[in-house]
Amino acid sequence: MGEDAAFHIGAAEITQGDLWLLAIVTLVVPVALLFPWAMWHLRGWRIRKARAGGKHDIADVLALDHDEDAPPKSPATLVPRAALMMIGAPLLIVFQENLMDELEHMMGKGWGFTAMALTSGFFLACGWMWAKVKRNAMSPEELAAIEEDEEHQSWMRAFFNEPAAGLGAAIGIGIVIVVVVLSLLIGGLPG
């Protein structure tokens, strides 16, 4: 790599390449998120123009997969999410690099790899907790609709004899644990 750091945030070094990548993502993400909304409105405008011009066959073809009742999410909901993602992802990387450096400082060389597992677990736990809090804040009608949908999905899984949803996750976690234990036994403990 050998690239000079533009500035430091704790142990994390931000290079010119990182800044260019962040600038590109800052331009691409909002465009990618707003593209379906813009295309939906463009098609609606084309349908209205064709009907106004008396070209009903063209309007019918354009309206085949254009659902007027289900427009895509508006920019008012997409832009804050994009901004949060574009700010949150670099902050997460800086946090992980600083945590990795601190873990290596406290526990010895070679323990920095646990920083990614710790931060990933922390954010998964936060996501799970947010889902629980959000579910508790729902109105009774919304909660009833979600529970009905969950019950329907459960019946469909049982009807088609699908394995439990958590079986694949349990197998994956088991494989990761076996690989970590084997690597620790073969290579010895770091530090």
Side-chain angles (χ1 to χ4, degrees):
M1 309 255 239
E3 195 172 349
D4 291 333
F7 57 92
H8 295 271
I9 301 175
E13 294 181 348
I14 311 298
T15 63
Q16 291 288 353
D18 295 336
L19 293 175
W20 275 108
L21 180 64
L22 183 61
I24 290 169
V25 168
T26 302
L27 294 174
V28 169
V29 168
V31 171
L33 287 175
L34 294 177
F35 185 75
W37 177 82
M39 292 305 296
W40 188 85
H41 282 288
L42 177 64
R43 181 174 280 196
W45 174 77
R46 289 180 63 201
I47 291 169
R48 289 190 299 276
K49 184 178 175 187
R51 287 208 172 115
K55 301 176 183 175
H56 295 289
D57 52 343
I58 294 174
D60 291 340
V61 169
L62 287 171
L64 283 177
D65 60 347
H66 184 75
D67 190 6
E68 287 289 334
D69 296 331
K73 292 185 177 181
S74 70
T77 59
L78 292 176
V79 171
R81 287 183 183 178
L84 183 64
M85 185 175 69
M86 289 185 299
I87 293 169
L91 288 178
L92 174 63
I93 293 169
V94 168
F95 176 74
Q96 282 182 333
E97 286 184 19
N98 284 318
L99 181 63
M100 191 176 344
D101 182 64
E102 190 61 34
L103 284 174
E104 285 188 351
H105 179 71
M106 288 185 335
M107 300 178 77
K109 195 77 173 153
W111 281 96
F113 71 93
T114 58
M116 186 171 292
L118 287 173
T119 52
S120 300
F122 174 71
F123 285 111
L124 285 174
C126 286
W128 176 80
M129 188 62 74
W130 174 250
K132 294 294 182 186
V133 168
K134 189 168 71 169
R135 188 177 181 116
N136 286 338
M138 288 182 178
S139 69
E141 296 83 20
E142 292 172 331
L143 191 58
I146 286 178
E147 288 175 350
E148 183 179 335
D149 186 47
E150 288 172 351
E151 185 177 351
H152 174 71
Q153 290 176 1
S154 172
W155 277 99
M156 293 303 287
R157 276 195 300 272
F159 180 75
F160 290 113
N161 292 328
E162 289 185 11
L167 183 62
I171 291 171
I173 290 170
I175 290 171
V176 168
I177 290 171
V178 168
V179 168
V180 168
V181 167
L182 286 176
S183 67
L184 287 175
L185 289 175
I186 293 172
L189 291 174

